[in-house]
Amino acid sequence: MSEQSKKTGLILSGGGARAAYQVGVLMALAELMPKGARNPFPIICGTSAGAINAAALAAHAHNYRMGVRGLERIWANITAEQVYRTDVYSFVKSLFRWVVRSTVSGSTPVNSALLDSRPLRKLLSLVVNFPRIEEALAKGDLEALSITASSYSSGESVAFFQSAKHVPEWKRARRVGRPSAIKVDHLMASSAIPILFPAQEVEGRYYGDGALRQLAPVSPALHLGADRLFVIGVSGNVNTDQKRDVRGYPSLAQVLGHILNSVFVDSLEGDVERLERINKTISAIPPKVREQQDIPLREVQVLKIYPSQPIDEIAAQHIKELPRTLRFFLRGSGATRSPGAAAVSYLLFEPGFTRSLMSLGYRDAMQREDEIKTFLELP
């Protein structure tokens, strides 16, 4: 396959407010590309908060820089109250409705969760022009968009995809691909962090955050025809030499942060490592042998960008930006202290924190300018 015919897939992982880092990386790419250039990623796949970034990019596939500028404005000025209700009444009402009513009635009320995410639905309806996604597909500016959510009914990871060409559904162990016209419901479902945000209904079934049970995050892009992958993660701990050694019994926030990191971070990093090992194995097999033995495997070039600094530590510096009400209720869990910052980082939708992550993403990408230009074949 010639380099010109290769299709690049963009993988945007989940991570709540951490997804601001992705925008910083995308800003750097916009600066490296010619003005007015269309989206360099024919295939875009997003999960959780990454799904929001993916849909916004897909809607502006005709002009990549314009799409990134829109994301930059949103994430640089976003506040928690634009994502979930932060007033005392709303929080107490949600808690009462979920805990008390379920205890008395023996059943869980619809839309039960600790936080009310209806403000996010309103925000997404305003900032993502969903009809333009179909226009981009029709004009050839985009080949496919995939949004992953987790089905509470089947226990499967479902990749809802909208494609310019017919792509058959796929089914693997605990994961399926299903054609669908991407709407706000898909984004709400993909970003519905369990317990914190309520489950969302899509096509008659209820779904939660797409990072749940997502065994192979890069799989949708490969099913949709990608030959190489540009992966933006949000861990910030992969290459950190100095690990924090926190003594004493872990707080509730530390435990929650550990769980959230295992859901949003570990699966992507593990899947990318697995893909790189497969690439090395395939490269060790001579092409003639592959043809003679009819080995249906191909190398998939990968460029991964992860935060160069621990996001947990950055979040610890911005904990005071959380709404006062949320800080009050989280204080007893240890989330407002440095060791519990990992959990808070997923909910820290405040300009100080998101702008810091955007700046980090921009710097990390610009430090790899030559590598990125070579990978994307930029002048």
Side-chain angles (χ1 to χ4, degrees):
M1 182 176 296
S2 65
E3 289 296 321
Q4 290 74 16
S5 65
K6 284 190 174 182
K7 300 175 184 177
T8 306
L10 174 64
I11 308 294
L12 299 175
S13 64
R18 292 173 173 231
Y21 175 83
Q22 299 170 355
V23 179
V25 175
L26 298 173
M27 288 165 53
L29 298 187
E31 192 168 304
L32 299 177
M33 294 176 59
K35 291 184 178 180
R38 69 177 185 175
N39 163 50
F41 306 106
I43 299 166
I44 304 178
C45 301
T47 301
S48 192
I52 298 172
N53 292 337
L57 279 182
H60 290 86
H62 67 289
N63 190 315
Y64 175 75
R65 183 169 295 189
M66 182 185 299
V68 173
R69 292 292 179 264
L71 283 172
E72 181 182 354
R73 287 192 297 271
I74 294 168
W75 282 96
N77 300 287
I78 198 168
T79 59
E81 62 184 10
Q82 293 176 304
V83 180
Y84 50 86
R85 294 189 61 178
T86 60
D87 56 286
V88 176
Y89 172 75
S90 176
F91 186 83
V92 173
K93 179 182 176 182
S94 298
L95 187 62
F96 178 85
R97 186 169 182 271
W98 186 16
V99 177
V100 178
R101 285 187 58 184
S102 61
T103 301
V104 174
S105 65
S107 61
T108 303
V110 177
N111 295 327
S112 296
L114 292 178
L115 300 173
D116 184 345
S117 62
R118 282 179 292 182
L120 177 60
R121 176 179 288 273
K122 181 179 179 181
L123 176 65
L124 294 178
S125 299
L126 292 174
V127 302
V128 181
N129 191 328
F130 293 96
R132 282 192 176 179
I133 296 175
E134 182 59 38
E135 292 179 12
L137 292 168
K139 293 180 179 179
D141 296 324
L142 180 72
E143 288 198 17
L145 169 67
S146 172
I147 303 298
T148 299
S150 180
S151 172
Y152 283 123
S153 58
S154 67
E156 295 175 317
S157 175
V158 181
F160 295 100
F161 64 89
Q162 191 170 352
S163 177
K165 301 178 181 178
H166 172 71
V167 177
E169 294 187 16
W170 64 83
K171 185 173 180 61
R172 300 292 185 271
R174 294 292 181 186
R175 52 189 172 92
V176 299
R178 187 173 301 159
S180 182
I182 303 300
K183 304 294 182 184
V184 67
D185 290 340
H186 297 86
L187 302 189
M188 290 295 296
S190 183
S191 55
I193 301 176
I195 301 178
L196 297 178
F197 296 154
Q200 300 292 320
E201 186 177 5
V202 179
E203 300 174 3
R205 297 288 187 274
Y206 281 97
Y207 294 83
D209 199 289
L212 294 171
R213 311 195 77 167
Q214 191 180 30
L215 303 177
V218 305
S219 173
L222 300 179
H223 280 288
L224 293 170
D227 301 296
R228 55 187 177 188
L229 302 176
F230 192 97
V231 180
I232 308 178
V234 295
S235 66
N237 292 314
V238 177
N239 297 317
T240 304
D241 295 328
Q242 295 181 348
K243 301 289 184 180
R244 289 181 301 166
D245 185 15
V246 181
R247 305 276 180 169
Y249 195 83
S251 66
L252 179 60
Q254 283 178 262
V255 175
L256 179 59
H258 189 69
I259 293 173
L260 291 175
N261 284 338
S262 68
V263 171
F264 289 99
V265 173
D266 296 351
S267 59
L268 175 65
E269 294 174 357
D271 202 25
V272 171
E273 285 187 3
R274 183 163 53 249
L275 180 60
E276 290 175 331
R277 288 198 301 270
I278 293 174
N279 282 339
K280 291 181 180 179
T281 301
I282 296 174
S283 63
I285 304 175
K288 290 185 178 180
V289 175
R290 273 183 265 169
E291 293 178 6
Q292 294 172 355
Q293 300 295 327
D294 191 24
I295 300 176
L297 296 175
R298 55 189 171 89
E299 291 185 58
V300 178
Q301 188 179 2
V302 181
L303 177 59
K304 56 186 180 184
I305 296 185
Y306 299 146
S308 58
Q309 299 176 20
I311 290 183
D312 298 358
E313 295 181 5
I314 298 175
Q317 300 169 11
H318 296 273
I319 287 178
K320 291 184 179 180
E321 296 175 18
L322 275 174
R324 183 177 301 176
T325 304
L326 199 58
R327 290 206 311 271
F328 174 79
F329 283 106
L330 292 176
R331 183 176 54 185
S333 69
T336 56
R337 297 185 294 275
S338 181
V344 172
S345 68
Y346 291 89
L347 295 174
L348 239 175
F349 294 94
E350 295 295 338
F353 179 59
T354 57
R355 290 179 183 180
S356 294
L357 294 189
M358 290 164 64
S359 297
L360 177 62
Y362 178 84
R363 294 195 303 271
D364 287 349
M366 292 303 292
Q367 288 176 358
R368 300 174 63 179
E369 177 180 350
D370 294 338
E371 188 179 356
I372 291 173
K373 283 185 173 181
T374 300
F375 184 83
L376 296 179
E377 301 172 31
L378 300 176

